Amino acid sequence: MTTVYRWRLAPDGLATRRQLRALGLRPGGQDVVAELHRPRRLGRAPLVAYLYRVDRARPVRPMTPGRTTALAAAMRARRTCPNCRNDVGYCIPRSLGMCVPCHDTPALSR
């Protein structure tokens, strides 16, 4: 069982993934040390953030040319409409499955 802290009451030396990233670090395979609970209204479950030890965190791996190429290809695939095969300049919404002009024009979507 992990330790649970309330919002803004976690001790120094613990950080979330986002806070580690801002420091140029990553969890580096370590387990979650504690949880941070932020209460919400109307009887909803609290928001949970997982905390890691900063002293055990490792530096972020550098971006290699191969990773840069793979990331660019993945983003290009997300911007390419499968219907008209154009790079539309934005990520295609998964709910539509095609670019907005193709979705709004029924004759083109067939």
Side-chain angles (χ1 to χ4, degrees):
M1 179 106 183
T2 60
T3 308
V4 176
Y5 295 104
R6 290 192 44 86
W7 185 248
R8 298 183 190 252
L9 296 178
D12 292 337
L14 299 180
T16 63
R17 280 182 179 268
R18 187 171 289 191
Q19 290 168 335
L20 287 176
R21 187 61 183 218
L23 297 171
L25 301 171
R26 61 185 170 95
Q30 66 174 303
D31 292 330
V32 173
V33 177
E35 291 181 1
L36 187 68
H37 287 203
R38 180 179 179 193
R40 299 193 312 184
R41 297 181 188 176
L42 303 173
R44 296 171 64 186
L47 294 174
V48 177
Y50 299 111
L51 299 174
Y52 302 90
R53 288 182 50 170
V54 176
D55 60 345
R56 289 189 187 167
R58 294 184 179 167
V60 175
R61 295 181 197 136
M63 192 65 114
T64 62
R67 288 175 66 194
T68 303
T69 303
L71 182 61
M75 292 306 294
R76 188 171 44 257
R78 289 183 65 192
R79 291 189 314 262
T80 303
C81 176
N83 201 24
C84 64
R85 302 283 183 208
N86 290 330
D87 185 342
V88 293
Y90 56 87
C91 289
I92 306 284
R94 293 181 66 191
S95 60
L96 299 180
M98 60 186 78
C99 66
V100 175
C102 287
H103 182 264
D104 289 346
T105 309
L108 293 178
S109 64
R110 293 182 186 166

XYZ file of all heavy atoms in Angstrom:
860
model
N 0.855 -1.191 0.000
C 0.000 0.000 0.000
C 0.889 1.238 0.000
O 1.822 1.339 0.779
C -0.881 -0.036 1.246
C -1.786 1.115 1.385
S -3.431 0.568 0.997
C -4.297 2.063 1.123
N 0.589 2.141 -0.891
C 1.381 3.364 -0.984
C 0.839 4.423 -0.029
O -0.329 4.413 0.353
C 1.356 3.932 -2.414
O 0.014 4.223 -2.765
C 1.935 2.947 -3.400
N 1.693 5.342 0.318
C 1.316 6.453 1.182
C 0.466 7.437 0.382
O 0.729 7.683 -0.790
C 2.576 7.177 1.697
O 3.447 6.209 2.276
C 2.225 8.224 2.718
N -0.552 8.003 1.026
C -1.442 8.956 0.368
C -1.289 10.314 1.045
O -1.378 10.411 2.266
C -2.914 8.485 0.439
C -3.833 9.536 -0.169
C -3.071 7.155 -0.262
N -1.031 11.343 0.227
C -0.933 12.712 0.720
C -2.080 13.526 0.144
O -2.521 13.296 -0.969
C 0.394 13.355 0.292
C 1.603 12.702 0.905
C 2.409 11.855 0.157
C 1.941 12.929 2.227
C 3.520 11.254 0.702
C 3.056 12.331 2.788
C 3.838 11.498 2.023
O 4.930 10.895 2.568
N -2.534 14.495 0.903
C -3.559 15.398 0.398
C -2.896 16.468 -0.455
O -1.690 16.685 -0.404
C -4.338 16.027 1.549
C -5.223 14.999 2.236
C -6.247 15.557 3.199
N -6.984 16.718 2.779
C -8.097 16.698 2.061
N -8.601 15.562 1.658
N -8.712 17.816 1.749
N -3.711 17.132 -1.248
C -3.263 18.146 -2.181
C -2.364 19.178 -1.511
O -2.714 19.710 -0.462
C -4.495 18.826 -2.777
C -4.235 19.820 -3.829
C -4.438 21.164 -3.749
C -3.743 19.578 -5.144
N -4.108 21.776 -4.922
C -3.676 20.815 -5.802
C -3.341 18.432 -5.820
C -3.222 20.934 -7.113
C -2.906 18.558 -7.128
C -2.847 19.805 -7.752
N -1.206 19.418 -2.082
C -0.203 20.397 -1.642
C 0.487 20.041 -0.325
O 1.144 20.883 0.275
C -0.798 21.804 -1.543
C -1.298 22.338 -2.868
C -1.793 23.757 -2.704
N -2.472 24.188 -3.891
C -1.968 25.080 -4.756
N -0.799 25.583 -4.552
N -2.666 25.413 -5.811
N 0.335 18.815 0.149
C 0.954 18.430 1.417
C 2.005 17.336 1.256
O 2.432 16.737 2.243
C -0.128 17.977 2.411
C -1.128 19.048 2.830
C -2.174 18.480 3.776
C -0.419 20.230 3.481
N 2.436 17.069 0.052
C 3.481 16.062 -0.164
C 4.824 16.630 0.279
O 5.101 17.820 0.124
C 3.540 15.672 -1.631
N 5.692 15.799 0.859
C 6.993 16.289 1.311
C 7.927 16.585 0.136
O 7.697 16.142 -0.996
C 7.527 15.126 2.151
C 6.844 13.929 1.618
C 5.493 14.397 1.175
N 8.972 17.333 0.407
C 9.989 17.617 -0.613
C 10.681 16.311 -0.991
O 10.772 15.376 -0.198
C 11.022 18.615 -0.085
C 10.430 19.996 0.121
O 9.415 20.298 -0.530
O 10.979 20.760 0.935
N 11.172 16.261 -2.200
C 11.861 15.071 -2.669
C 10.963 14.129 -3.449
O 11.442 13.131 -3.989
N 9.670 14.433 -3.534
C 8.737 13.646 -4.336
C 8.195 14.536 -5.446
O 7.969 15.728 -5.243
C 7.581 13.120 -3.488
C 7.933 12.186 -2.343
C 6.665 11.760 -1.615
C 8.687 10.976 -2.840
N 7.975 13.926 -6.623
C 7.486 14.713 -7.755
C 6.656 13.829 -8.675
O 6.839 12.615 -8.726
C 8.655 15.307 -8.535
N 5.744 14.459 -9.404
C 4.949 13.759 -10.403
C 5.787 13.590 -11.671
O 6.859 14.185 -11.804
C 3.675 14.552 -10.746
O 4.059 15.801 -11.324
C 2.820 14.783 -9.508
N 5.283 12.818 -12.624
C 5.991 12.650 -13.896
C 6.194 13.988 -14.594
O 7.249 14.256 -15.165
C 5.185 11.743 -14.833
C 5.339 10.291 -14.548
C 4.532 9.496 -15.583
N 4.669 8.084 -15.356
C 5.593 7.310 -15.933
N 6.432 7.836 -16.777
N 5.655 6.026 -15.669
N 5.182 14.825 -14.569
C 5.279 16.122 -15.234
C 6.323 17.008 -14.563
O 7.082 17.720 -15.224
C 3.910 16.802 -15.231
C 3.885 18.073 -16.040
C 2.502 18.593 -16.199
N 1.751 17.717 -17.100
C 0.577 18.021 -17.610
N 0.006 19.152 -17.307
N -0.034 17.199 -18.422
N 6.368 16.962 -13.237
C 7.374 17.750 -12.526
C 8.780 17.222 -12.789
O 9.726 17.999 -12.927
C 7.071 17.743 -11.026
C 5.833 18.525 -10.664
C 5.384 18.278 -9.235
O 5.675 17.236 -8.645
N 4.653 19.229 -8.677
N 8.914 15.890 -12.869
C 10.220 15.315 -13.199
C 10.645 15.758 -14.587
O 11.807 16.114 -14.809
C 10.168 13.790 -13.128
C 10.091 13.164 -11.742
C 9.937 11.659 -11.864
C 11.303 13.510 -10.907
N 9.727 15.735 -15.529
C 10.049 16.119 -16.905
C 10.502 17.574 -16.968
O 11.407 17.923 -17.736
C 8.841 15.887 -17.806
C 9.104 16.087 -19.268
C 10.165 15.120 -19.761
N 10.454 15.366 -21.147
C 10.708 14.432 -22.026
N 10.748 13.176 -21.659
N 10.965 14.743 -23.266
N 9.880 18.442 -16.181
C 10.275 19.852 -16.152
C 11.700 20.011 -15.625
O 12.386 20.969 -15.969
C 9.302 20.658 -15.303
N 12.149 19.053 -14.822
C 13.513 19.065 -14.298
C 14.492 18.337 -15.219
O 15.668 18.207 -14.898
C 13.550 18.403 -12.914
C 12.755 19.090 -11.808
C 12.711 18.219 -10.564
C 13.362 20.447 -11.492
N 13.979 17.803 -16.341
C 14.834 17.061 -17.259
C 15.081 15.640 -16.787
O 16.096 15.036 -17.136
N 14.147 15.087 -16.009
C 14.294 13.745 -15.455
C 13.133 12.863 -15.870
O 12.125 13.332 -16.383
C 14.361 13.822 -13.924
C 15.488 14.658 -13.325
C 15.294 14.805 -11.829
C 16.833 14.049 -13.632
N 13.274 11.550 -15.621
C 12.221 10.562 -15.844
C 12.245 9.599 -14.667
O 13.254 9.491 -13.968
C 12.443 9.827 -17.159
C 13.749 9.058 -17.200
C 13.990 8.441 -18.569
N 15.334 7.925 -18.662
C 15.668 6.659 -18.430
N 14.748 5.785 -18.104
N 16.921 6.272 -18.538
N 11.156 8.874 -14.407
C 11.141 7.952 -13.259
C 12.217 6.884 -13.340
O 12.733 6.446 -12.306
C 9.746 7.331 -13.305
C 8.910 8.340 -14.004
C 9.820 8.985 -15.005
N 12.566 6.431 -14.509
C 13.681 5.502 -14.652
C 13.397 4.117 -14.103
O 14.301 3.475 -13.576
N 12.167 3.644 -14.194
C 11.853 2.287 -13.763
C 11.496 2.128 -12.301
O 11.149 1.030 -11.870
N 11.561 3.184 -11.521
C 11.220 3.067 -10.103
C 9.717 2.958 -9.911
O 8.934 3.410 -10.736
C 11.780 4.248 -9.315
C 11.160 5.588 -9.685
C 11.622 6.711 -8.787
O 11.464 6.651 -7.580
N 12.198 7.744 -9.394
N 9.323 2.313 -8.841
C 7.912 2.166 -8.529
C 7.344 3.457 -7.961
O 8.082 4.324 -7.475
C 7.701 1.044 -7.511
C 8.027 -0.321 -8.107
O 7.851 -0.485 -9.326
O 8.456 -1.211 -7.343
N 6.034 3.566 -7.979
C 5.346 4.710 -7.385
C 5.574 4.670 -5.881
O 5.391 3.635 -5.239
C 3.839 4.664 -7.714
C 3.093 5.750 -6.970
C 3.630 4.794 -9.203
N 5.985 5.807 -5.317
C 6.277 5.879 -3.885
C 5.046 6.292 -3.093
O 4.801 5.789 -2.004
C 7.433 6.877 -3.625
C 7.701 7.025 -2.150
C 8.676 6.429 -4.356
N 4.265 7.204 -3.663
C 3.099 7.736 -2.947
C 2.076 8.242 -3.954
O 2.354 8.342 -5.147
C 3.526 8.866 -2.010
N 0.900 8.545 -3.430
C -0.159 9.130 -4.245
C -0.540 10.477 -3.660
O -0.495 10.670 -2.452
C -1.395 8.238 -4.249
C -1.228 6.937 -4.969
C -2.485 6.107 -4.962
O -3.513 6.553 -4.401
O -2.455 5.006 -5.521
N -0.926 11.371 -4.549
C -1.393 12.687 -4.153
C -2.860 12.768 -4.533
O -3.212 12.546 -5.688
C -0.585 13.762 -4.882
C -0.814 15.195 -4.493
C -0.305 15.429 -3.084
C -0.093 16.105 -5.457
N -3.726 13.029 -3.578
C -5.161 13.099 -3.843
C -5.635 14.538 -3.773
O -5.401 15.224 -2.777
C -5.934 12.254 -2.833
C -5.795 10.791 -3.070
N -6.703 9.882 -2.620
C -4.869 10.061 -3.729
C -6.346 8.670 -2.977
N -5.219 8.757 -3.648
N -6.326 14.958 -4.823
C -6.909 16.296 -4.857
C -8.419 16.133 -4.775
O -9.042 15.559 -5.665
C -6.536 16.999 -6.157
C -7.121 18.379 -6.244
C -6.715 19.048 -7.523
N -7.305 20.372 -7.588
C -7.340 21.107 -8.673
N -6.803 20.667 -9.788
N -7.896 22.286 -8.646
N -9.025 16.624 -3.709
C -10.477 16.448 -3.563
C -11.249 17.232 -4.616
O -10.786 18.250 -5.123
C -10.756 16.980 -2.156
C -9.614 17.858 -1.826
C -8.435 17.362 -2.601
N -12.440 16.700 -4.943
C -13.331 17.366 -5.880
C -14.703 17.497 -5.253
O -15.013 16.859 -4.258
C -13.421 16.575 -7.184
C -12.077 16.465 -7.844
C -12.107 15.994 -9.258
N -12.904 14.832 -9.528
C -12.973 14.238 -10.702
N -12.287 14.698 -11.694
N -13.718 13.180 -10.888
N -15.544 18.315 -5.859
C -16.877 18.576 -5.312
C -17.883 17.512 -5.707
O -17.637 16.683 -6.570
C -17.367 19.925 -5.813
C -16.519 21.067 -5.352
C -17.087 22.351 -5.857
N -16.153 23.437 -5.553
C -16.327 24.662 -5.931
N -17.386 24.994 -6.627
N -15.447 25.575 -5.612
N -19.033 17.595 -5.086
C -20.204 16.806 -5.425
C -19.997 15.302 -5.278
O -20.533 14.521 -6.039
C -20.684 17.133 -6.844
C -21.013 18.591 -7.120
C -21.308 18.793 -8.596
C -22.187 19.039 -6.273
N -19.201 14.892 -4.321
C -19.046 13.481 -4.039
C -18.293 12.701 -5.088
O -18.337 11.478 -5.100
N -17.595 13.373 -5.987
C -16.820 12.685 -7.011
C -15.517 12.171 -6.409
O -15.016 12.690 -5.428
C -16.527 13.625 -8.164
C -17.803 14.059 -8.885
C -17.567 15.138 -9.878
N -16.712 14.674 -10.958
C -16.248 15.463 -11.910
N -16.551 16.743 -11.906
N -15.495 14.991 -12.866
N -14.971 11.166 -7.028
C -13.702 10.602 -6.561
C -12.589 11.636 -6.725
O -12.617 12.448 -7.656
C -13.372 9.352 -7.359
N -11.604 11.620 -5.847
C -10.521 12.610 -5.955
C -9.646 12.346 -7.167
O -9.546 11.216 -7.653
C -9.735 12.416 -4.658
C -10.009 11.018 -4.260
C -11.407 10.735 -4.706
N -9.012 13.400 -7.651
C -8.009 13.250 -8.704
C -6.754 12.679 -8.067
O -6.375 13.076 -6.964
C -7.698 14.601 -9.344
C -8.822 15.254 -10.125
C -8.404 16.639 -10.579
C -9.202 14.398 -11.309
N -6.103 11.762 -8.740
C -4.944 11.080 -8.175
C -3.726 11.360 -9.043
O -3.790 11.260 -10.271
C -5.187 9.564 -8.091
C -3.964 8.852 -7.563
C -6.382 9.268 -7.213
N -2.618 11.710 -8.404
C -1.339 11.870 -9.091
C -0.341 10.953 -8.396
O -0.324 10.852 -7.163
C -0.856 13.316 -9.013
N 0.472 10.264 -9.180
C 1.465 9.356 -8.621
C 2.771 10.101 -8.423
O 3.196 10.886 -9.269
C 1.648 8.151 -9.537
C 0.374 7.367 -9.703
C -0.298 7.350 -10.913
C -0.183 6.680 -8.639
C -1.476 6.655 -11.061
C -1.366 5.985 -8.777
C -2.001 5.976 -9.985
O -3.180 5.283 -10.127
N 3.416 9.836 -7.298
C 4.644 10.538 -6.939
C 5.836 9.592 -6.981
O 5.740 8.423 -6.590
C 4.516 11.138 -5.535
C 3.403 12.160 -5.357
C 3.294 12.563 -3.892
C 3.658 13.383 -6.212
N 6.971 10.124 -7.443
C 8.218 9.381 -7.551
C 9.305 10.122 -6.790
O 9.238 11.336 -6.617
C 8.637 9.253 -9.017
C 7.606 8.568 -9.872
C 6.614 9.300 -10.523
C 7.603 7.194 -10.026
C 5.657 8.672 -11.305
C 6.649 6.559 -10.802
C 5.686 7.306 -11.428
O 4.740 6.681 -12.191
N 10.332 9.398 -6.380
C 11.451 10.023 -5.674
C 12.352 10.727 -6.675
O 12.750 10.153 -7.678
C 12.232 8.975 -4.898
C 11.464 8.472 -3.696
C 12.243 7.487 -2.898
N 13.586 7.984 -2.593
C 14.395 7.391 -1.738
N 14.012 6.303 -1.105
N 15.601 7.862 -1.512
N 12.688 11.975 -6.382
C 13.526 12.768 -7.276
C 14.958 12.253 -7.269
O 15.633 12.214 -8.296
C 13.475 14.263 -6.886
C 14.416 15.090 -7.745
C 12.053 14.786 -7.010
N 15.440 11.803 -6.107
C 16.834 11.354 -6.023
C 17.081 10.047 -6.780
O 18.213 9.734 -7.121
C 17.276 11.217 -4.568
C 16.443 10.227 -3.772
O 15.351 9.849 -4.231
O 16.887 9.831 -2.674
N 16.057 9.272 -7.068
C 16.200 8.031 -7.838
C 15.895 8.218 -9.317
O 16.036 7.285 -10.095
C 15.277 6.947 -7.286
C 15.694 6.408 -5.959
C 14.847 5.205 -5.633
N 15.111 4.750 -4.282
C 14.363 3.881 -3.640
N 13.284 3.378 -4.224
N 14.661 3.516 -2.423
N 15.448 9.405 -9.705
C 15.088 9.665 -11.104
C 16.350 9.730 -11.963
O 17.439 10.056 -11.482
C 14.319 10.971 -11.206
N 16.175 9.401 -13.233
C 17.284 9.403 -14.177
C 17.081 10.502 -15.211
O 15.955 10.935 -15.438
C 17.362 8.057 -14.889
C 17.706 6.948 -13.945
C 17.858 5.665 -14.687
N 18.212 4.595 -13.766
C 18.174 3.324 -14.069
N 17.771 2.943 -15.261
N 18.520 2.427 -13.185
N 18.159 10.915 -15.867
C 18.009 11.941 -16.903
C 17.173 11.434 -18.075
O 17.160 10.243 -18.374
C 19.443 12.222 -17.360
C 20.320 11.635 -16.317
C 19.549 10.561 -15.634
N 16.492 12.350 -18.753
C 15.713 12.022 -19.938
C 16.680 11.589 -21.036
O 17.743 12.184 -21.207
C 14.891 13.245 -20.390
C 14.165 12.974 -21.688
C 13.909 13.629 -19.318
N 16.300 10.555 -21.761
C 17.148 10.090 -22.863
C 17.154 11.125 -23.979
O 16.120 11.693 -24.311
C 16.623 8.766 -23.410
C 16.708 7.641 -22.428
C 16.197 6.367 -23.071
N 15.904 5.386 -22.049
C 14.834 4.627 -22.014
N 13.914 4.742 -22.944
N 14.655 3.761 -21.056
N 18.307 11.329 -24.605
C 18.360 12.313 -25.692
C 17.611 11.813 -26.921
O 17.492 10.610 -27.153
C 19.859 12.460 -25.981
C 20.469 11.198 -25.490
C 19.618 10.730 -24.335
N 17.127 12.754 -27.703
C 16.413 12.425 -28.935
C 17.441 12.062 -30.011
O 18.313 12.864 -30.333
C 15.573 13.619 -29.384
C 14.610 13.288 -30.462
S 13.369 12.139 -29.935
C 11.934 13.145 -30.036
N 17.328 10.864 -30.558
C 18.246 10.404 -31.599
C 17.644 10.720 -32.974
O 16.446 10.963 -33.082
C 18.482 8.888 -31.491
O 17.237 8.213 -31.698
C 19.046 8.522 -30.120
N 18.458 10.697 -34.017
C 17.912 10.937 -35.361
C 16.833 9.922 -35.747
O 15.845 10.282 -36.391
C 19.136 10.828 -36.277
C 20.290 11.133 -35.402
C 19.920 10.636 -34.037
N 16.991 8.679 -35.353
C 15.991 7.662 -35.665
C 14.668 7.921 -34.973
O 13.594 7.765 -35.565
N 14.721 8.322 -33.708
C 13.497 8.639 -32.976
C 12.829 9.877 -33.550
O 11.598 9.955 -33.617
C 13.801 8.837 -31.488
C 14.136 7.530 -30.788
C 14.558 7.743 -29.361
N 13.465 8.250 -28.558
C 13.602 8.772 -27.351
N 14.789 8.872 -26.803
N 12.556 9.197 -26.672
N 13.623 10.859 -33.977
C 13.073 12.063 -34.592
C 12.345 11.720 -35.885
O 11.232 12.205 -36.135
C 14.194 13.089 -34.871
O 14.867 13.375 -33.643
C 13.646 14.357 -35.476
N 12.940 10.856 -36.690
C 12.322 10.439 -37.946
C 11.028 9.675 -37.695
O 10.011 9.904 -38.363
C 13.304 9.570 -38.758
O 14.501 10.306 -38.972
C 12.712 9.163 -40.092
N 11.056 8.756 -36.732
C 9.862 7.966 -36.415
C 8.736 8.852 -35.886
O 7.565 8.662 -36.245
C 10.207 6.883 -35.400
N 9.061 9.818 -35.035
C 8.049 10.723 -34.504
C 7.445 11.585 -35.613
O 6.230 11.788 -35.665
C 8.652 11.601 -33.407
C 7.724 12.572 -32.722
C 6.583 11.833 -32.028
C 8.480 13.412 -31.715
N 8.279 12.069 -36.525
C 7.778 12.871 -37.644
C 6.848 12.042 -38.529
O 5.800 12.533 -38.975
C 8.942 13.432 -38.460
N 7.190 10.776 -38.779
C 6.342 9.910 -39.605
C 5.012 9.636 -38.921
O 3.955 9.623 -39.567
C 7.066 8.596 -39.900
N 5.039 9.415 -37.604
C 3.798 9.163 -36.868
C 2.889 10.385 -36.881
O 1.670 10.259 -37.066
C 4.114 8.749 -35.435
N 3.447 11.566 -36.710
C 2.632 12.776 -36.726
C 2.089 13.058 -38.133
O 0.958 13.508 -38.289
C 3.441 13.971 -36.216
C 3.778 13.875 -34.736
S 2.338 13.611 -33.689
C 1.446 15.120 -33.914
N 2.888 12.765 -39.167
C 2.414 12.940 -40.541
C 1.241 11.996 -40.819
O 0.252 12.381 -41.455
C 3.565 12.693 -41.521
C 3.246 13.027 -42.948
C 4.471 12.980 -43.871
N 5.341 11.835 -43.668
C 6.518 11.860 -43.022
N 6.967 13.002 -42.514
N 7.245 10.771 -42.876
N 1.306 10.779 -40.302
C 0.202 9.825 -40.482
C -1.061 10.294 -39.779
O -2.170 10.079 -40.283
C 0.618 8.456 -39.959
N -0.924 10.953 -38.641
C -2.097 11.458 -37.924
C -2.734 12.646 -38.634
O -3.910 12.930 -38.436
C -1.714 11.874 -36.496
C -1.396 10.693 -35.605
C -1.099 11.130 -34.203
N -2.269 11.726 -33.585
C -2.240 12.391 -32.448
N -1.115 12.563 -31.799
N -3.350 12.910 -31.947
N -1.934 13.369 -39.449
C -2.458 14.534 -40.172
C -2.982 14.197 -41.554
O -3.609 15.027 -42.195
C -1.349 15.590 -40.327
C -0.923 16.260 -39.057
C -0.001 17.434 -39.360
N 1.023 17.120 -40.331
C 2.277 16.792 -40.049
N 2.674 16.717 -38.796
N 3.139 16.530 -41.014
N -2.705 12.994 -42.067
C -3.097 12.619 -43.419
C -4.481 11.995 -43.405
O -4.730 11.006 -42.719
C -2.080 11.635 -44.020
O -0.793 12.252 -43.995
C -2.443 11.283 -45.441
N -5.395 12.556 -44.209
C -6.757 12.047 -44.299
C -6.754 10.742 -45.088
O -6.213 10.702 -46.207
C -7.656 13.080 -44.987
S -9.341 12.496 -45.260
N -7.339 9.681 -44.561
C -7.361 8.421 -45.306
C -8.292 8.472 -46.517
O -8.188 7.633 -47.407
C -7.874 7.411 -44.278
C -8.632 8.206 -43.289
C -7.967 9.556 -43.252
N -9.156 9.459 -46.568
C -10.120 9.570 -47.658
C -9.548 10.322 -48.859
O -9.546 9.818 -49.978
C -11.390 10.248 -47.147
C -12.582 9.966 -48.009
O -12.619 8.967 -48.701
N -13.549 10.850 -47.970
N -9.047 11.520 -48.631
C -8.540 12.344 -49.735
C -7.015 12.317 -49.843
O -6.451 12.894 -50.766
C -9.024 13.782 -49.600
S -8.426 14.640 -48.133
N -6.344 11.679 -48.886
C -4.883 11.521 -48.876
C -4.118 12.837 -48.816
O -2.980 12.917 -49.246
C -4.404 10.723 -50.092
C -4.999 9.360 -50.221
C -4.336 8.431 -49.269
N -4.870 7.078 -49.451
C -4.921 6.196 -48.491
N -4.453 6.491 -47.315
N -5.425 5.010 -48.708
N -4.735 13.884 -48.273
C -4.066 15.177 -48.129
C -3.584 15.340 -46.701
O -4.231 14.893 -45.753
C -5.009 16.328 -48.475
C -5.325 16.385 -49.946
O -4.514 15.999 -50.772
N -6.507 16.865 -50.267
N -2.434 16.043 -46.552
C -1.964 16.450 -45.228
C -2.739 17.711 -44.875
O -2.526 18.765 -45.471
C -0.467 16.725 -45.252
C 0.101 17.038 -43.881
O -0.672 17.378 -42.956
O 1.328 16.954 -43.723
N -3.678 17.595 -43.928
C -4.591 18.704 -43.643
C -4.034 19.709 -42.649
O -4.658 20.732 -42.393
C -5.962 18.175 -43.161
C -6.657 17.440 -44.282
C -5.812 17.296 -41.941
N -2.868 19.447 -42.062
C -2.233 20.419 -41.175
C -2.666 20.336 -39.725
O -2.216 21.129 -38.911
N -3.547 19.398 -39.388
C -3.965 19.191 -37.997
C -4.202 17.700 -37.822
O -4.382 16.958 -38.795
C -5.233 19.984 -37.659
C -6.407 19.696 -38.554
C -7.298 18.647 -38.287
C -6.650 20.474 -39.689
C -8.366 18.378 -39.119
C -7.719 20.211 -40.521
C -8.571 19.167 -40.227
O -9.631 18.898 -41.054
N -4.212 17.238 -36.593
C -4.458 15.822 -36.329
C -5.925 15.510 -36.603
O -6.812 16.206 -36.112
C -4.093 15.468 -34.894
S -2.320 15.474 -34.616
N -6.154 14.477 -37.389
C -7.509 14.066 -37.755
C -8.235 13.585 -36.503
O -7.714 12.739 -35.771
C -7.471 12.909 -38.784
C -6.632 13.273 -39.995
C -8.875 12.460 -39.152
C -7.267 14.200 -40.957
N -9.424 14.100 -36.197
C -10.171 13.624 -35.027
C -10.529 12.146 -35.195
O -11.036 11.731 -36.238
C -11.434 14.492 -35.013
C -11.143 15.658 -35.872
C -10.127 15.209 -36.872
N -10.272 11.346 -34.172
C -10.593 9.925 -34.245
C -12.096 9.698 -34.323
O -12.551 8.708 -34.882
C -10.008 9.205 -33.033
C -8.478 9.194 -33.065
C -7.904 8.475 -31.893
N -8.250 7.056 -31.973
C -8.062 6.202 -30.989
N -7.555 6.609 -29.855
N -8.386 4.937 -31.140
N -12.861 10.634 -33.790
C -14.313 10.485 -33.834
C -14.849 10.607 -35.264
O -15.879 10.028 -35.593
C -14.980 11.534 -32.945
O -14.646 12.833 -33.393
N -14.137 11.353 -36.121
C -14.571 11.518 -37.506
C -13.937 10.469 -38.417
O -14.554 9.987 -39.348
C -14.223 12.913 -38.013
C -14.841 14.098 -37.285
C -14.383 15.400 -37.924
C -16.351 13.992 -37.267
N -12.678 10.178 -38.189
C -11.972 9.214 -39.028
C -11.502 9.779 -40.346
O -10.922 9.070 -41.153
N -11.749 11.051 -40.598
C -11.336 11.724 -41.832
C -11.289 13.221 -41.549
O -11.721 13.671 -40.488
C -12.288 11.409 -42.984
C -13.725 11.840 -42.738
S -14.870 11.331 -44.018
C -15.114 9.629 -43.597
N -10.770 13.979 -42.508
C -10.685 15.426 -42.300
C -12.096 16.025 -42.293
O -13.051 15.413 -42.770
C -9.807 16.071 -43.371
S -10.442 15.991 -45.040
N -12.210 17.226 -41.779
C -13.513 17.871 -41.648
C -14.176 18.125 -43.007
O -15.369 17.850 -43.161
C -13.388 19.171 -40.820
C -14.711 19.913 -40.773
C -12.907 18.862 -39.410
N -13.456 18.609 -44.046
C -14.130 18.789 -45.340
C -14.681 17.478 -45.912
O -15.784 17.462 -46.470
C -13.030 19.361 -46.246
C -12.091 20.026 -45.316
C -12.106 19.213 -44.061
N -13.936 16.378 -45.777
C -14.448 15.090 -46.274
C -15.661 14.644 -45.466
O -16.614 14.090 -46.013
C -13.368 14.016 -46.204
S -12.069 14.189 -47.446
N -15.630 14.891 -44.177
C -16.753 14.495 -43.327
C -18.003 15.324 -43.630
O -19.115 14.815 -43.630
C -16.365 14.640 -41.856
C -17.448 14.212 -40.920
N -18.330 15.110 -40.372
C -17.793 12.990 -40.459
C -19.191 14.456 -39.594
N -18.885 13.176 -39.625
N -17.796 16.620 -43.902
C -18.939 17.509 -44.142
C -19.515 17.367 -45.553
O -20.621 17.841 -45.805
C -18.521 18.967 -43.914
C -18.284 19.259 -42.442
O -18.696 18.434 -41.615
O -17.673 20.290 -42.139
N -18.779 16.741 -46.455
C -19.260 16.541 -47.816
C -19.526 15.046 -48.019
O -18.618 14.287 -48.293
C -18.199 17.017 -48.847
O -17.806 18.320 -48.491
C -18.769 17.011 -50.243
N -20.789 14.619 -47.898
C -21.100 13.178 -47.970
C -20.692 12.533 -49.287
O -20.316 11.381 -49.323
C -22.601 13.124 -47.777
C -22.978 14.426 -47.180
C -21.962 15.419 -47.613
N -20.741 13.258 -50.408
C -20.413 12.656 -51.700
C -18.926 12.296 -51.782
O -18.561 11.320 -52.404
C -20.772 13.617 -52.829
N -18.069 13.084 -51.123
C -16.638 12.813 -51.141
C -16.252 11.673 -50.211
O -15.231 11.042 -50.415
C -15.850 14.069 -50.750
C -15.907 15.228 -51.725
C -15.125 16.403 -51.169
C -15.368 14.823 -53.079
N -17.030 11.416 -49.201
C -16.643 10.412 -48.218
C -16.915 8.988 -48.686
O -16.554 8.050 -48.035
C -17.368 10.667 -46.888
O -18.761 10.518 -47.053
N -17.558 8.832 -49.854
C -17.854 7.478 -50.355
C -16.864 6.986 -51.318
O -16.035 7.278 -51.882
C -19.241 7.450 -50.993
C -20.282 7.663 -49.947
C -21.649 7.584 -50.551
N -22.593 7.935 -49.497
C -23.827 8.230 -49.694
N -24.331 8.219 -50.897
N -24.624 8.533 -48.707
